Amino acid sequence: MTLPPTHVWLNALLFGLQSVQAALLWALHALGIAGETHGAPAWPWGSRIAGENLIIDVALARQFAWTLAALAFAIACVLIAIFWRRARRWLIAAAIASLVFAPWPSSSLWLTAAVPASFHTNPSGFTVESIARGAQVYAAQCAACHGADGRGEGPQAAALRRWPPTMASALLSRRADGELFWHVLYGMRDDAGVTMPGFTGRLSDKEIWAALDYMRVLSASAGMAAGGSWPVPIALPALTVTCGDAPARSLSQWRGTQRVRVVAVDTRHPAPFEDPRFLTLLIRRDETAVFDTRLRALPGAAAGVRRVSAPLADGLRATARPAIATTVASTTTTLGARADCFADSPEAWPVFAQIAGTTPAELAGTEWLADRDGWLRALAPAGKRGWADGGLLCTTSSVGALLTSPAAPDPLSATLRQMDNEPVRFIKGGFVH
């Protein structure tokens, strides 16, 4: 019998453990057994199952899985024995044998310290606005020690008893979001004393969650600069989208059903043509948004003219009167219509620049691909040969066969197929990708 690949059963194990713990917490809270902290149910115990340990030690995870299977078998035998008296002796013996021969890993390996907020998540979600707010909080409160680039080399780092850890690693995945929130709020200490001061009374809950959102982006930026990849999976930030003349709506409406391609556009990098394989989302600088808005108010805007040349942009700076200029055709008979779904957020440009590990001035022309679950999976930097140079990030297996398959005639199709075949599974306190 061929066993499933490691990432398949490990994903299932971690997801199941996370779901059981979360369901238990909500049940205890509903029964009044578990209290509440910071607006959400409080985990009542000092330990939780350590998904982060199971994911880095597959042998431990396999032991744990077999132990759970033995427990499930023993419970099933006991339940059957209650109603089947003739086989009760053999069923009880089988239950005892399964418990005796189970691997039983040490609890110190699969349990870790927990806090009341271990299962909390950001109530506002991972949004562009939250990331932008977090950048301000981080610069004011965190950069002095952790460094502006997140590498732990801030101006005050050398004076600390323990050097701050770098974010250009899987650091943020080692703890659940709620535990990071708790440690920022109340600080951290070891046997020798305080290793990080708390920010109770200095930062609100909303500011701490925003700072943690920004740290995810900072981790992605540091990872791209260090090794050309994101150290942990990063989600496509939530934002408001405006498509043509339709009412604005949230990008989250496409989650679960549609892939998303994000393209940074300016006057030198016009919007690409629509592609039925994904939704194309355009991001632009503030001034580009202003020019586009003013252009729509001019005569002829309703005919679909949305891209302007640099001379017209310069003319709009000087006057609001209609002007004759060269435009980029928004529709052709062979390629169809150009994409016209724009990120309706001025913070999108700098946020995506940091995710790409580049500067806002060099962002135009960069493209990203997000899968149907909302994870950013691929990056094609500006100036590269498109997806021929844009490798898929967060993979689980070798993809050489996919990239050379006759069924995948171009690099973009191969990347999309690989995204679909290798979904990201992110578990708080431990992830597989």
Side-chain angles (χ1 to χ4, degrees), residues 44-100:
W45 298 292
S47 300
R48 63 171 175 84
I49 297 176
E52 60 270 35
N53 292 346
L54 298 178
I55 200 168
I56 63 176
D57 189 342
V58 177
L60 173 63
R62 189 175 289 110
Q63 268 188 296
F64 191 81
W66 279 115
T67 299
L68 290 180
L71 281 172
F73 177 78
I75 292 172
C77 287
V78 171
L79 292 176
I80 295 173
I82 294 175
F83 301 99
W84 192 5
R85 295 184 178 182
R86 294 181 58 183
R88 180 173 297 173
R89 180 182 302 176
W90 297 107
L91 288 170
I92 295 299
I96 294 174
S98 67
L99 296 178
V100 169

Side-chain angles (χ1 to χ4, degrees), residues 319-385:
T319 177
R321 293 180 301 170
I324 298 176
T326 302
T327 61
V328 177
S330 61
T331 304
T332 70
T333 57
T334 57
L335 298 177
R338 289 185 180 273
D340 66 348
C341 288
F342 289 90
D344 193 16
S345 173
E347 293 91 358
W349 189 274
V351 166
F352 276 90
Q354 191 140 37
I355 291 175
T358 188
T359 64
E362 299 174 336
L363 182 65
T366 302
E367 298 186 23
W368 301 257
L369 286 176
D371 61 23
R372 290 183 173 92
D373 294 325
W375 295 107
L376 287 170
R377 302 297 305 278
L379 170 68
K384 299 293 184 179
R385 294 185 296 108

Side-chain angles (χ1 to χ4, degrees), residues 129-143 203 207 210-211 214-215 347 354:
E129 290 74 20
S130 179
I131 295 167
R133 185 186 307 114
Q136 299 175 353
V137 174
Y138 182 90
Q141 304 291 340
C142 312
L203 293 177
E207 288 175 321
Y214 176 71
M215 288 179 191
E347 293 91 358
Q354 191 140 37

Side-chain angles (χ1 to χ4, degrees), residues 5-262:
T6 298
H7 69 276
V8 174
W9 65 262
L10 189 52
N11 273 330
L13 174 64
L14 291 176
F15 183 80
L17 294 174
Q18 180 72 11
S19 299
V20 168
Q21 291 180 99
L24 176 61
L25 174 58
W26 282 101
L28 293 175
H29 182 258
L31 295 173
I33 299 175
E36 190 171 290
T37 182
H38 298 278
W43 184 250
W45 298 292
S47 300
R48 63 171 175 84
I49 297 176
E52 60 270 35
N53 292 346
L54 298 178
I55 200 168
I56 63 176
D57 189 342
V58 177
L60 173 63
R62 189 175 289 110
Q63 268 188 296
F64 191 81
W66 279 115
T67 299
L68 290 180
L71 281 172
F73 177 78
I75 292 172
C77 287
V78 171
L79 292 176
I80 295 173
I82 294 175
F83 301 99
W84 192 5
R85 295 184 178 182
R86 294 181 58 183
R88 180 173 297 173
R89 180 182 302 176
W90 297 107
L91 288 170
I92 295 299
I96 294 174
S98 67
L99 296 178
V100 169
F101 291 104
W104 295 106
S106 172
S107 61
S108 62
L109 299 177
W110 56 270
L111 286 178
T112 189
V115 298
S118 284
F119 289 84
H120 289 197
T121 57
N122 187 347
S124 65
F126 186 63
T127 68
V128 166
E129 290 74 20
S130 179
I131 295 167
R133 185 186 307 114
Q136 299 175 353
V137 174
Y138 182 90
Q141 304 291 340
C142 312
C145 295
H146 290 276
D149 59 0
R151 294 179 178 275
E153 300 175 352
Q156 298 180 16
L160 299 177
R161 185 171 58 82
R162 177 179 293 182
W163 202 270
T166 178
M167 295 181 190
S169 65
L171 168 68
L172 296 184
S173 73
R174 291 289 297 163
R175 286 294 177 187
D177 286 351
E179 290 173 359
L180 294 173
F181 167 83
W182 188 268
H183 292 317
V184 172
L185 188 62
Y186 297 108
M188 300 181 68
R189 59 186 302 117
D190 58 16
D191 295 338
V194 175
T195 58
M196 188 185 85
F199 288 85
T200 303
R202 297 165 59 186
L203 293 177
S204 66
D205 288 3
K206 191 173 184 178
E207 288 175 321
I208 293 176
W209 283 118
L212 292 175
D213 283 345
Y214 176 71
M215 288 179 191
R216 294 188 196 179
V217 173
L218 194 60
S219 176
S221 177
M224 290 300 297
S229 65
W230 298 312
V232 297
I234 183 168
L236 177 62
L239 45 77
T240 303
V241 179
T242 302
C243 298
D245 298 322
R249 50 182 172 168
S250 172
L251 183 63
S252 61
Q253 293 185 13
W254 286 281
R255 182 158 296 178
T257 60
Q258 181 66 288
R259 308 183 191 99
V260 177
R261 173 178 62 173
V262 183

